[in-house]
Amino acid sequence: MKTQFIPIDYDYFDFQGRNYIKIIGRNEQGKRVCVIDECDVYFWAVLKDKISQDNIKKIIKRILKIKLDVKGRKTKVEKVELHDKNFLSKPVKALKIFATNYKDLHDIASQIDMKEIEKRRGYDLGFITHYIIEKNLIPLNNYEIEGELLNNSTEFGGIDMALDVDFCIKLKSHKNIDKISKQVHSNSTSPGRMVGGGGGTNELASNKLFIPKILAYDIETDEFQIGKGEILMISLVGENFKKVITWKKPKGKDDNNPMNKTSKTIGVGQDLGGHQASYVEIVEDEAELLEKFVEYVKTLSPDFLVGYFSDGFDLPYLKARAEKNRVKLSLGLDGSQPRFSKGIMLTGKINGIVHIDLLKFIRTAYSQYMQSETLSLNEVSKEFLNDTKKEFQFKHSSKITHDEWENYFEYSLHDSILTYKLFEKFWPDMFEFTRVMQEPIFDVSRNGMSTNVEDYIIHNLNRFNEIPEKRPTHEEISSRRNQERFEGAFVFEPTPGIYENIAMFDFTSSYGSVIVTYNLSKSTYLEKPSKENYNIEALNKKVYFSKKPGFFPEMLKEIIMLRKKFKKELKSSKPDNETILKARSNAFKLLANASYGYQGFFGARYYCLEAAAATAAFARKSIQDAIKEIDKSGFKTIYSDTDSIVFLINKKTKSQTLEFLKNLNQKLPGIMELELEDFFKRGIWVTTRGGTTGAKKKYALINEKGKVKIRGFETVRRDWCNLARETQNKVLRMILEEGSYKESLKYVKEIAKKLRKREIDKKYLIIKTQLKRPIDEYKANTPHILIAKKMLKKEMPVSMGTLIEYFITESKNKKALVRDRAMLPTEPGEYDIKYYLEHQIIPSVENIFQVFDINISEELAESKQKRLEF
DNA sequence: GAAGTGGATATACC
DNA sequence: ACTGGTATATCCACTTC
């Protein structure tokens, strides 16, 4: 049979000793399709130089004899071929060694240790990755497939019968129709449709967006620890679907309300006591709750089951309670239960339905760019959806009253609604990331940037006829980690002061452009200089790179082009789309920048410290050269960090500045390019605390539209209390807007006065510090660690990553340390006026007023008399 | 006992 | 363990005079 097909979830199984891939996807009619396929299984043995043909034949003969019997599985070498390949961009002769089972490649490779063989490679990719490369059946691409329909077939042990899919097809052929198909407009709500605009010349960029069927979920429990308490309710949200399943019967004022005893007969949406919302469905007990949940997932049959922090909480909790209740959590299309990866970081996998933990994708793709101080569902929703969680005061289920239950249901439902909407927002990027990285979305949505970079490389090696490099061994990793650190970015020391008429330029994808321009990578690194090369001083030596384009820089070029496209889209977008487009453009910028980090990352297959160090060195040189040009042309540089330059345009006009930029760009090498970030009306730089030199990474700017950009100041740091942050923010804004300190001084005096009169609400005085590791791994005893320990004693949820909140109280003991005066927000105690004045308010504005020669401590002194006495 | 210093820690910038 | 280096700033333990 023939059908269109979009691969979504990948899995594999063994049948009669061989590996088979099982791909779950959709077709255009929204039918769920399972594709079974196989591929050649092989690895590479790279031969040493100048091995005679005879010798090669002998080696092949010996290899062909290899047989293995591991764990009752018989594997043998089935075929050996000689190929001309590249390894790290160098032409090599290599043997392609075919075997029965992918899992045995490592063992076979270990047996091939003849002296003529230089290296063994390509056995550590994972079968799914290997399959995708081998057959070119890429996740979330659009295919036309042809194959044999398995219908109650005994093939593969009757796999099609156990699978809840519309078609199960043994693949014969497939054709990618993404690139040639025209865009499809559809109002259909069935999954599997593709929508979106065409255009764009880059092949990587999708011209259609696949719209999956999604189901967001969220659970509410009595305890935070996995499986410790009972699950009270589960909320589910899909397209035109809202449901809260619970076994807690809201009790009315009359506890003997007969309605409470008829739970089993209460149907969906039935009214209960005149208050029951229609989306609430009441079941008998926790076991039935779990069964009902499984039933809904089966009926709705989504492509994605989406949660928020669900790898770490919801799914493992469900599993634990299912075990306790002896309910089978058979969510998988094959009836299997969720599987969890071992290790510290849990990941929950469901066969055939992709379980997505949104938090993970947000962390890698957006968090660096976001304004939110935590990645809580509430804050992230606020930033991207302009919506928040519903109010609900947690208490144990036994203490919840009737009306409160109603609120609780609504609260839970709304969490799922937010999760659903967030998924919709991020889906285009997840889609794009998956297609670029070419790995299953289950992994791409969880992986960090370094893994993304590596996936991208691995899946593009064939274009360069390259044999993949292996993962580093533990020994290699530890030796890499002990490597001396290399010199990084250049940061210009600013002169403290307030400036006017400012422009900012920055290099687009700075490090990425450097890598591309100077061809910096493991495979282009030259131990000895060749005639034609790029070279620079790095790692206390001169390092050389070939001018013949390497695969890594070539690939990176594509990422940079894609990013440029997104950035262009952003510029011509409507304001209501801005947040997400900005995030997207930024996500690809991060990906491009991660390539630099990748080459210096100890876990990387293509680790090359020389390339990483040279990248930083070339980048330093680029920016310093640009600064020279700028200063030479009638401007004056006042600040610069890594890839941006801030300068005074002096008497020049904006158009002269832009003209200058154009000319400057023409002189830049390769794909290096500067762009205008913005023009600014005014800006301020301050000294370091207690010093006289200008502080780096700390400044505030205001553009002509009055938009303020604040970097590094306490205003943007979450480990300062809100009073200090807001005071500083106000002061900076007033000064930037007016160019004078007068008003802001009055303002600070007002705040100090209120603080002294104890008129400041405690909530503005809370200091928040994150617990970055398990509590007993700390050597120091800081306020937040002490508070965390106190919280543990009170059985409050504290773990790695928790944001610890506290405030500083007064103490009779004058020598009491800050940590001894730190109290939980819920604890009684008067705030310490002196502490907040001297350790929060004054430090936050001191350096700013110093720019105007104002000593804020003196200005805020309790009595001016004191000053006069001197 | 005040002052200075350095380690541990957190957070931001790019 | 799950990109990199640069930089500021706090609190606290310790040393020094």
Side-chain angles (χ1 to χ4, degrees):
Chain A
M1 87 171 265
K2 217 178 196 178
T3 181
Q4 176 266 357
F5 179 64
I6 297 156
I8 303 171
D9 192 40
Y10 290 65
D11 198 5
Y12 66 92
F13 63 94
D14 276 15
F15 184 67
Q16 293 171 349
R18 307 192 82 90
N19 311 115
Y20 291 90
I21 202 92
K22 185 171 83 182
I23 310 168
I24 305 290
R26 292 274 185 192
N27 71 8
E28 239 156 24
Q29 289 76 46
K31 297 284 186 202
R32 184 171 251 140
V33 180
C34 171
V35 164
I36 311 276
D37 194 19
E38 58 186 321
C39 68
D40 284 338
V41 167
Y42 62 86
F43 70 101
W44 295 97
V46 178
L47 295 170
K48 281 186 182 154
D49 273 351
K50 293 166 194 150
I51 308 282
S52 72
Q53 287 293 327
D54 268 6
N55 214 346
I56 291 174
K57 273 182 193 157
K58 269 186 214 159
I59 294 165
I60 291 177
K61 257 189 186 159
R62 270 171 63 195
I63 292 174
L64 277 168
K65 282 183 193 153
I66 294 175
K67 279 189 180 118
L68 277 181
D69 196 340
V70 202
K71 296 166 199 153
R73 186 172 57 231
K74 287 191 172 70
T75 275
K76 62 171 192 201
V77 171
E78 302 191 329
K79 192 167 61 166
V80 179
E81 295 171 356
L82 180 65
H83 286 260
D84 285 310
K85 294 288 287 183
N86 294 320
F87 183 62
L88 296 175
S89 292
K90 279 168 269 306
V92 291
K93 295 248 182 251
L95 298 177
K96 191 175 187 181
I97 301 168
F98 295 79
T100 321
N101 196 298
Y102 195 86
K103 291 194 210 73
D104 299 322
L105 291 186
H106 200 286
D107 288 332
I108 293 172
S110 316
Q111 292 202 7
I112 299 171
D113 52 358
M114 302 98 178
K115 64 177 195 308
E116 293 88 351
I117 286 169
E118 174 95 33
K119 279 168 174 137
R120 292 147 292 171
R121 292 292 184 271
Y123 51 81
D124 64 350
L125 298 174
F127 182 64
I128 292 173
T129 303
H130 173 84
Y131 172 84
I132 294 171
I133 296 167
E134 190 60 17
K135 298 297 285 271
N136 218 10
L137 200 69
I138 301 158
L140 302 183
N141 273 245
N142 202 3
Y143 293 93
E144 190 175 278
I145 61 166
E146 212 175 335
E148 177 195 336
L149 185 69
L150 300 180
N151 194 4
N152 292 324
S153 152
T154 52
E155 202 164 3
F156 310 118
I159 195 168
D160 66 294
M161 286 179 275
L163 264 182
D164 186 16
V165 295
D166 295 302
F167 305 114
C168 195
I169 295 169
K170 189 179 165 191
L171 192 68
K172 280 207 187 80
S173 67
H174 62 281
K175 187 170 80 184
N176 194 322
I177 53 173
D178 248 357
K179 287 161 196 165
I180 50 167
S181 63
K182 296 277 175 279
Q183 62 190 84
V184 175
H185 287 291
S186 168
N187 294 317
S188 148
T189 53
S190 68
R193 74 188 196 265
M194 297 284 244
V195 297
T201 49
N202 199 308
E203 279 196 8
L204 285 168
S206 65
N207 53 6
K208 286 172 162 194
L209 180 66
F210 163 63
I211 304 296
K213 194 168 175 182
I214 62 185
L215 184 64
Y217 78 113
D218 176 56
I219 67 169
E220 303 301 332
T221 64
D222 259 341
E223 300 278 344
F224 293 104
Q225 236 183 329
I226 303 295
K228 211 179 161 195
E230 290 167 323
I231 299 176
L232 307 172
M233 67 189 86
I234 301 172
S235 61
L236 295 169
V237 170
E239 195 181 31
N240 303 319
F241 183 83
K242 284 176 186 165
K243 179 75 56 190
V244 176
I245 321 165
T246 182
W247 59 283
K248 289 289 173 182
K249 301 127 194 150
K251 290 183 180 167
K253 275 158 201 150
D254 176 9
D255 273 357
N256 292 321
N257 185 342
M259 285 307 237
N260 291 331
K261 292 171 186 165
T262 56
S263 61
K264 269 218 150 157
T265 57
I266 292 174
V268 179
Q270 200 157 334
D271 198 75
L272 192 140
H275 295 296
Q276 195 69 64
S278 61
Y279 53 78
V280 178
E281 180 172 346
I282 299 176
V283 294
E284 188 59 33
D285 52 21
E286 197 187 22
E288 206 183 317
L289 170 76
L290 293 162
E291 282 164 3
K292 206 77 201 179
F293 169 65
V294 173
E295 194 184 311
Y296 272 118
V297 174
K298 272 205 178 316
T299 315
L300 295 164
S301 197
D303 296 307
F304 296 103
L305 184 66
V306 187
Y308 200 90
F309 189 48
S310 50
D311 268 347
F313 186 73
D314 303 63
L315 201 58
Y317 212 116
L318 281 163
K319 187 201 168 199
R321 295 310 296 177
E323 274 167 16
K324 184 106 184 167
N325 282 287
R326 296 184 191 188
V327 170
K328 231 183 143 211
L329 208 62
S330 41
L331 294 165
L333 293 185
D334 53 1
S336 64
Q337 306 202 53
R339 286 173 298 171
F340 289 87
S341 67
K342 39 198 180 297
I344 308 162
M345 273 295 155
L346 279 176
T347 55
K349 205 175 164 87
I350 300 167
N351 279 346
I353 293 174
V354 185
H355 179 232
I356 298 276
D357 184 348
L358 260 191
L359 174 64
K360 293 214 169 130
F361 187 69
I362 292 171
R363 187 179 286 146
T364 44
Y366 310 114
S367 67
Q368 283 187 334
Y369 140 87
M370 284 163 57
Q371 305 293 311
S372 307
E373 274 161 31
T374 65
L375 292 182
S376 67
L377 180 59
N378 194 43
E379 283 210 63
V380 173
S381 302
K382 220 186 287 175
E383 183 162 352
F384 286 99
L385 305 172
N386 210 6
D387 195 358
T388 57
K389 280 166 80 104
K390 296 273 183 209
E391 291 270 342
F392 184 75
Q393 191 56 53
F394 280 106
K395 45 176 107 171
H396 194 271
S397 57
S398 58
K399 291 178 185 149
I400 299 175
T401 64
H402 181 278
D403 287 352
E404 286 169 342
W405 274 114
E406 292 303 314
N407 294 338
Y408 206 178
F409 298 148
E410 201 186 335
Y411 168 90
S412 179
L413 183 76
H414 199 67
D415 272 10
S416 286
I417 292 175
L418 294 176
T419 305
Y420 184 92
K421 286 187 177 165
L422 282 174
F423 181 89
E424 280 186 316
K425 277 255 167 182
F426 297 135
W427 170 244
D429 289 5
M430 248 191 236
F431 177 76
E432 213 71 67
F433 260 54
T434 301
R435 290 164 56 99
V436 169
M437 264 49 89
Q438 302 189 27
E439 279 286 298
I441 190 164
F442 178 86
D443 304 287
V444 173
S445 69
R446 286 172 173 77
N447 287 340
M449 280 298 180
S450 71
T451 312
N452 283 337
V453 171
E454 191 154 286
D455 286 341
Y456 179 67
I457 297 170
I458 289 290
H459 283 280
N460 284 279
L461 287 175
N462 269 341
R463 286 195 278 140
F464 301 87
N465 197 29
E466 271 278 332
I467 291 173
E469 176 58 296
K470 68 167 171 52
R471 277 205 200 95
T473 61
H474 284 294
E475 290 73 42
E476 282 167 316
I477 288 178
S478 58
S479 95
R480 288 173 181 186
R481 295 186 76 177
N482 291 328
Q483 277 278 324
E484 229 176 293
R485 305 214 309 177
F486 58 88
E487 191 183 339
F490 166 72
V491 188
F492 187 101
E493 188 187 299
T495 305
I498 183 155
Y499 300 91
E500 297 193 344
N501 296 326
I502 297 162
M504 188 192 280
F505 287 172
D506 54 36
F507 280 103
T508 36
S509 294
S510 166
Y511 283 127
S513 301
V514 167
I515 292 170
V516 173
T517 299
Y518 299 101
N519 206 27
L520 309 173
S521 69
K522 180 170 180 170
S523 82
T524 47
Y525 174 60
L526 303 168
E527 297 276 355
K528 285 179 199 141
S530 63
K531 211 160 70 183
E532 284 276 291
N533 64 57
Y534 296 110
N535 59 75
I536 198 160
E537 189 81 20
L539 295 170
N540 300 316
K541 62 183 178 187
K542 196 129 190 171
V543 291
Y544 304 90
F545 294 86
S546 156
K547 283 199 173 179
K548 189 173 162 260
F551 62 87
F552 184 83
E554 287 285 294
M555 290 179 197
L556 183 53
K557 205 177 188 172
E558 294 168 345
I559 294 281
I560 293 171
M561 293 308 153
L562 201 53
R563 198 263 162 159
K564 267 199 184 134
K565 175 179 156 349
F566 292 141
K567 187 148 188 183
K568 212 169 142 194
E569 276 174 22
L570 169 67
K571 280 196 175 145
S572 57
S573 76
K574 289 176 202 142
D576 55 330
N577 259 332
E578 205 180 325
T579 313
I580 189 69
L581 283 173
K582 215 169 183 169
R584 161 180 282 200
S585 164
N586 225 6
F588 278 84
K589 176 186 176 161
L590 286 175
L591 187 59
N593 278 342
S595 326
Y596 155 69
Y598 173 80
Q599 301 203 86
F601 167 50
F602 53 77
R605 285 173 194 260
Y606 293 97
Y607 172 83
C608 182
L609 201 66
E610 285 82 4
T615 306
F618 274 118
R620 285 195 301 272
K621 191 174 174 297
S622 301
I623 199 131
Q624 281 159 350
D625 288 350
I627 289 171
K628 274 181 212 148
E629 284 294 318
I630 285 168
D631 288 350
K632 209 168 72 184
S633 313
F635 306 102
K636 188 177 186 332
T637 299
I638 54 173
Y639 184 63
S640 166
D641 185 350
T642 312
D643 60 357
S644 67
I645 307 171
V646 183
F647 57 94
L648 306 177
I649 66 170
N650 291 333
K651 293 203 174 104
K652 303 229 182 207
T653 62
K654 279 191 216 168
S655 60
Q656 281 174 314
T657 309
L658 288 170
E659 188 61 27
F660 166 75
L661 174 64
K662 215 169 134 191
N663 289 331
L664 187 55
N665 269 330
Q666 277 167 359
K667 286 189 248 171
L668 294 177
I671 67 162
M672 298 300 296
E673 186 190 17
L674 277 164
E675 64 179 345
L676 177 79
E677 163 70 29
D678 209 349
F679 288 108
F680 298 94
K681 194 166 67 182
R682 204 168 277 131
I684 188 168
W685 274 259
V686 301
T687 63
T688 56
R689 179 98 61 240
T692 49
T693 55
K696 297 168 174 182
K697 301 190 184 287
K698 214 174 190 187
Y699 60 88
L701 291 162
I702 187 167
N703 74 5
E704 259 125 63
K705 288 179 191 155
K707 199 174 170 202
V708 174
K709 181 179 188 139
I710 299 176
R711 292 289 122 96
F713 274 111
E714 285 75 4
T715 299
V716 298
R717 294 182 62 99
R718 68 174 182 197
D719 56 346
W720 282 70
C721 77
N722 277 343
L723 182 70
R725 297 172 65 182
E726 278 172 28
T727 306
Q728 186 191 58
N729 193 346
K730 269 256 169 64
V731 167
L732 283 172
R733 280 169 193 274
M734 285 179 186
I735 289 173
L736 288 175
E737 270 157 26
E738 294 154 25
S740 145
Y741 68 90
K742 292 266 161 56
E743 285 301 308
S744 58
L745 182 58
K746 269 190 222 162
Y747 177 74
V748 175
K749 283 182 176 172
E750 262 319 293
I751 295 289
K753 204 165 141 191
K754 279 190 185 163
L755 186 69
R756 285 192 169 114
K757 285 207 231 154
R758 296 203 175 281
E759 284 171 5
I760 304 289
D761 194 307
K762 196 197 266 182
K763 73 177 179 199
Y764 295 107
L765 303 176
I766 305 294
I767 297 164
K768 300 173 193 172
T769 315
Q770 193 181 29
L771 218 53
K772 305 276 281 185
R773 58 180 88 152
I775 194 119
D776 33 76
E777 273 179 31
Y778 282 101
K779 289 180 200 164
N781 271 316
T782 57
H784 84 289
I785 297 163
L786 216 72
I787 292 291
K789 284 178 180 165
K790 201 187 270 184
M791 287 168 76
L792 274 178
K793 262 192 196 152
K794 288 177 186 265
E795 295 199 318
M796 293 163 79
V798 174
S799 60
M800 207 168 89
T802 307
L803 204 56
I804 306 294
E805 302 190 355
Y806 57 91
F807 76 113
I808 307 301
T809 58
E810 278 182 332
S811 164
K812 279 166 212 149
N813 178 1
K814 283 215 159 176
K815 275 194 280 181
L817 295 168
V818 177
R819 66 166 175 233
D820 297 321
R821 292 181 284 141
M823 297 288 162
L824 282 162
T826 49
E827 286 181 302
E830 296 283 0
Y831 67 74
D832 185 347
I833 295 169
K834 196 164 182 271
Y835 176 85
Y836 281 98
L837 210 54
E838 290 174 7
H839 289 87
Q840 295 280 326
I841 296 298
I842 290 176
S844 73
V845 294
E846 192 170 40
N847 302 341
I848 300 168
F849 285 107
Q850 201 189 312
V851 166
F852 303 93
D853 274 324
I854 303 294
N855 183 325
I856 197 70
S857 297
E858 284 175 16
E859 295 290 336
L860 296 184
E862 196 122 28
S863 149
K864 300 252 171 174
Q865 284 305 112
K866 272 188 184 168
R867 261 170 68 203
L868 294 172
E869 278 169 17
F870 279 91

